[in-house]
C-alpha cells in the first residue's frame, strides 16, 4: 500500500502557479513546495512540469535546483522524476560515479520485479545508448558480478515448482555447509533463478535440513558484495517491505545518516508499499519509521520525508 496517492480535483495549471509563486521574488517558500509535491502522485507531478513550462517557459526542475539546495533539493528532484527514469539514473550514477556504489546495484536489482528489470534495461539503453549489463560487468567482478548478470536477465519463472523444493534446499545445503569452501556458483544459480514464492518454500525446507536460516548460512559462507547481494535476494524473496524497513533502519541507525539511501527508498516506495514498510518497521524495531526520521533529520528535508511517510505508528 502506498502512502502517496493521486489527489482528486487535480489541476496542473493551478499547481504550477502555486510553485511559481513559491519561488518568485526574494526567498523561497519551501513549505508550499513540499506540501504540494508530497500530496501529488508522480504522474500528477509530470503534468505539473508540463504546465509549468507551458505557462512560464521555464523548466520546473531547473528552477527548483536554482532555488533549493542540499538533501532537500535531491529529494524534491527525485519526487519529480518518473519512477523508471529515476531507477535508470540511480544505476547510471552508481556505475559511472567515483567508485562503484554497490549498495544501489544490490538494492535495485534484488527488489524490482523481472518486468521492471526488463523495462530498466531497455530504458537505460534508450537514455545512454549503452548496455546496462556490459556497464555493470565492466565495473564488478567474481560471483557478485555473475549474480547481478543473472538478475539482469530477468528470467525468473513464476509460481512454485513443487518437485524441486527439496532438491533445491539439499543442493544449497551441500554447496555451503557440507563442503569445505563454499560453492558460490550453486547459490547464485538457484537464488537468482527461482520465484519469490518458490524460494520461500526452499528456505523452509533448508531450515528443516540445516537447523538454521538461509541468511545465517550466507553470512557464514560468503563475504563482501556477494554476501550483501545474496542477503538482499533472500530478504526480498521473504518480504520486500521488510527488506526496505531494514534498509531504512540501518540508513539512520548510529552516527550519521545515509541520506542517499533514505531519499532513494522514500521516493521509490512512497507510491508502492511504504505503508507496508511502516508496518514491518514497527514489527522489527523498537520505534516507528516516522519517529526515527523525525529524530534523525532536520528542516524542510525532515518535513518532506515525514509527509511522504504519511503518519506515525507509535
Amino acid at each position: 500500500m502506498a502512502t502517496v496517492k493521486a489527489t482528486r480535483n487535480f489541476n496542473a495549471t493551478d499547481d504550477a502557479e502555486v510553485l511559481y509563486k513559491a519561488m518568485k521574488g526574494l526567498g523561497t517558500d519551501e513549505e508550499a513546495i513540499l506540501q504540494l509535491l508530497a500530496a501529488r502522485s508522480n504522474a500528477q507531478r509530470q503534468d505539473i512540469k508540463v504546465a509549468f513550462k507551458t505557462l512560464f517557459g521555464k523548466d520546473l526542475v531547473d528552477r527548483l535546483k536554482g532555488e533549493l539546495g542540499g538533501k532537500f533539493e535531491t529529494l524534491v528532484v527525485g519526487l519529480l522524476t518518473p519512477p523508471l527514469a529515476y531507477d535508470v539514473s540511480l544505476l547510471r550514477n552508481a556505475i559511472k560515479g567515483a567508485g562503484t556504489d554497490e549498495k544501489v546495484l544490490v538494492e535495485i536489482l534484488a527488489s524490482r520485479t523481472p518486468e521492471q528489470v526488463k523495462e530498466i534495461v531497455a530504458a537505460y539503453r534508450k537514455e545512454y545508448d549503452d548496455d546496462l549489463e556490459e556497464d555493470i560487468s565492466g565495473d564488478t567482478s567474481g560471483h557478485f558480478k555473475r549474480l547481478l548478470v543473472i538478475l539482469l536477465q530477468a528470467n525468473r519463472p513464476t509460481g512454485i515448482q513443487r518437485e524441486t523444493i527439496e532438491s533445491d534446499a539439499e543442493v544449497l545445503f551441500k554447496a555451503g555447509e557440507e563442503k569445505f569452501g563454499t560453492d558460490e556458483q550453486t547459490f547464485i544459480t538457484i537464488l537468482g533463478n527461482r520465484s519469490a514464492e518458490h524460494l520461500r518454500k526452499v528456505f523452509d525446507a533448508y531450515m528443516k535440513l540445516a537447523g538454521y536460516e538461509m541468511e545465517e548460512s550466507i553470512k557464514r559462507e560468503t563475504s563482501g558484495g556477494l554476501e550483501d547481494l545474496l542477503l538482499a535476494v533472500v530478504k526480498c524473496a521473504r518480504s520486500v517491505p521488510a527488506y526496505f524497513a531494514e534498509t531504512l533502519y540501518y540508513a539512520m541507525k548510529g552516527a550519521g545518516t545515509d541520506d542517499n539511501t533514505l531519499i532513494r527508498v522514500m521516493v521509490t516506495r512512497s507510491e508502492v508499499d511504504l505503508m507496508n514498510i511502516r508496518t514491518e518497521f514497527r514489527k522489527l524495531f523498537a520505534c516507528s519509521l516516522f519517529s526515527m526520521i523525525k529524530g534523525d533529520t532536520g528542516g524542510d528535508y525532515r518535513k518532506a520525508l515525514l509527509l511522504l511517510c504519511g503518519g506515525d505508528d507509535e
Side-chain angles (χ1 to χ4, degrees):
M1 274 178 68
T3 54
V4 172
K5 298 182 177 77
T7 188
R8 292 197 182 125
N9 309 321
F10 169 64
N11 185 316
T13 302
D14 290 351
D15 285 354
E17 281 172 351
V18 169
L19 291 172
Y20 183 76
K21 279 188 194 123
M23 293 183 277
K24 205 172 158 207
L26 282 173
T28 307
D29 185 354
E30 285 92 351
E31 183 82 30
I33 294 168
L34 65 91
Q35 289 283 353
L36 190 143
L37 292 179
R40 303 291 181 271
S41 68
N42 192 287
Q44 289 175 332
R45 293 181 206 127
Q46 303 315 313
D47 291 342
I48 296 167
K49 276 159 60 177
V50 173
F52 193 90
K53 193 172 271 189
T54 304
L55 289 170
F56 309 112
K58 291 176 180 172
D59 184 89
L60 176 58
V61 175
D62 289 346
R63 196 66 217 284
L64 285 163
K65 280 181 179 172
E67 298 286 331
L68 312 174
K71 297 175 286 202
F72 181 51
E73 179 191 307
T74 308
L75 177 63
V76 167
V77 171
L79 290 172
L80 285 162
T81 310
L84 180 58
Y86 189 63
D87 275 356
V88 166
S89 67
L90 288 170
L91 288 168
R92 182 71 170 187
N93 294 337
I95 300 162
K96 297 293 178 187
T100 310
D101 190 345
E102 292 185 350
K103 195 180 277 186
V104 174
L105 301 182
V106 166
E107 183 189 300
I108 293 179
L109 292 177
S111 68
R112 304 301 188 259
T113 65
E115 293 71 31
Q116 286 173 320
V117 172
K118 283 184 173 139
E119 285 172 0
I120 287 167
V121 170
Y124 187 93
R125 185 184 293 282
K126 193 174 167 193
E127 182 66 30
Y128 304 112
D129 201 22
D130 278 330
D131 185 291
L132 180 57
E133 186 187 316
E134 276 176 26
D135 284 356
I136 285 178
S137 294
D139 233 37
T140 55
S141 61
H143 287 95
F144 175 60
K145 170 174 91 173
R146 290 188 202 173
L147 181 49
L148 288 169
V149 169
I150 288 173
L151 295 172
L152 280 168
Q153 306 315 303
N155 281 330
R156 288 170 180 266
T158 50
I160 298 166
Q161 283 68 47
R162 302 237 165 248
E163 62 287 355
T164 61
I165 293 168
E166 293 299 329
S167 61
D168 279 351
E170 277 165 29
V171 169
L172 286 167
F173 181 62
K174 287 197 173 89
E177 298 300 334
E178 280 197 344
K179 202 169 175 180
F180 185 72
T182 308
D183 176 6
E184 287 102 344
Q185 188 62 52
T186 301
F187 273 79
I188 67 173
T189 302
I190 291 180
L191 294 177
N193 284 298
R194 306 288 187 271
S195 71
E197 306 87 354
H198 181 83
L199 285 175
R200 288 196 288 273
K201 300 280 186 202
V202 173
F203 301 155
D204 291 344
Y206 187 92
M207 177 76 189
K208 283 189 191 126
L209 205 62
Y212 36 80
E213 297 292 6
M214 188 79 238
E215 289 90 331
E216 283 178 57
S217 250
I218 291 168
K219 282 176 189 165
R220 274 214 296 264
E221 301 292 327
T222 60
S223 61
L226 178 63
E227 179 187 352
D228 295 338
L229 183 54
L230 286 168
L231 285 173
V233 167
V234 170
K235 283 170 183 172
C236 286
R238 289 194 191 276
S239 161
V240 170
Y243 166 73
F244 280 114
E246 218 172 279
T247 302
L248 286 166
Y249 179 79
Y250 289 108
M252 291 183 279
K253 186 182 182 279
T257 303
D258 177 355
D259 289 295
N260 285 335
T261 296
L262 182 53
I263 291 167
R264 195 171 60 241
V265 177
M266 295 300 284
V267 168
T268 55
R269 308 316 289 187
S270 57
E271 286 184 64
V272 183
D273 54 3
L274 192 50
M275 204 59 120
N276 314 70
I277 291 168
R278 272 171 46 185
T279 306
E280 293 300 327
F281 195 98
R282 195 68 195 84
K283 276 190 218 159
L284 290 165
F285 307 109
C287 60
S288 66
L289 177 58
F290 188 93
S291 66
M292 197 163 186
I293 292 171
K294 198 174 175 183
D296 223 56
T297 56
D300 296 313
Y301 175 54
R302 174 208 273 169
K303 284 179 193 165
L305 287 169
L306 292 177
L307 284 173
L308 293 177
C309 185
D312 201 349
D313 305 295
E314 281 300 354

